[in-house]
Amino acid sequence: MTKSEISNFIKAVKSGEINEESAFKFLKNYPFEDIGCAKIDRQRELRNGVAEVIYGAGKSQSEIRAIVLSILKYDQNILITRTNREIYELLSSEFENVNFNERGKTISITPKPLATTQSYIAIVSAGTSDAAVVEEAYETAKILGNSVVKISDIGVAGIHRLFLNLETIQKAKVIIAVAGMEGALPSVVAGLVKAPVIAVPTSVGYGASFGGVAALLGMLNSCANGISVVNIDNGYGAAYNASIINHL
């Protein structure tokens, strides 16, 4: 429930538009609704500005469907991360406005139009192999109401590609820099811009990359100012933080 929804509810009760029995039915699942497999937080958007996001990994099809049904009752947009085509086919057969980003492993359901900001988040990535994390960040940032620009494959192995896109990057309010291997891209970007840079290490790389640990440590030890670092492959977390900054 948003602040405006609560205000409208109170006004409707006062005016008699909603009677006591209807008010009880409306409030019985507030502040959360227990649907057995999950407890859906109804106050999340009121407290944090964003409704619950569904982490799809480890959840069954029936559990995800039940959570989606619960959230859609309140006409909220939904993002499901770390999901798959089978879940998409299940949901799209029953609900409208269901979109699947296969590479990013996300599903969005949008009963309400998405808002967009005038300022934008730039998502830059070192290589094509980082695209799954880029797409997760992109879909997250979009559903949270941000304008987003993606610039891919501008890693330090061909740094001239970064400079060809530098003006666009410098105009962003916040930048998400995604890189695997040695994780050098965020340091280079942070040395060229005044906006905050959120670095995302990916699990891309050969044996000594240790599944992204090498990139993570490189980013944590960067000498460039203005960098914060999220967990390995955590495009969602990077985009959420970027959205908070972009809405300031």
Side-chain angles (χ1 to χ4, degrees), residues 95-153:
F95 306 110
E96 297 180 348
N97 301 313
V98 182
N99 298 289
F100 180 44
N101 186 318
E102 188 158 17
R103 192 143 199 189
K105 299 180 181 178
T106 65
I107 295 171
S108 59
I109 306 175
T110 52
K112 298 188 295 185
L114 296 177
T116 55
T117 53
Q118 288 189 329
S119 58
Y120 62 87
I121 299 169
I123 304 177
V124 302
S125 61
T128 306
S129 296
D130 301 312
V133 177
V134 169
E135 292 302 316
E136 181 179 74
Y138 175 77
E139 294 294 343
T140 301
K142 290 292 288 184
I143 204 163
L144 295 180
N146 299 278
S147 297
V148 189
V149 174
K150 288 188 290 185
I151 305 172
S152 300
D153 200 20

Side-chain angles (χ1 to χ4, degrees), residues 204-221:
V204 171
Y206 297 102
S209 68
F210 299 109
V213 173
L216 172 65
L217 293 176
M219 293 172 182
L220 288 171
N221 286 283

Side-chain angles (χ1 to χ4, degrees), residues 79 81-82 121-124 133-142 144 146 148 174-179 186 196-202 219 228-246:
L79 176 67
T81 65
R82 305 300 165 99
I121 299 169
I123 304 177
V124 302
V133 177
V134 169
E135 292 302 316
E136 181 179 74
Y138 175 77
E139 294 294 343
T140 301
K142 290 292 288 184
L144 295 180
N146 299 278
V148 189
V174 56
I175 299 152
I176 299 171
V178 183
V197 176
I198 302 174
V200 189
T202 71
M219 293 172 182
S228 58
V229 187
V230 297
N231 205 349
I232 297 168
D233 293 337
N234 190 8
Y236 165 77
Y240 194 104
N241 288 342
S243 178
I244 292 173
I245 296 168
N246 194 40

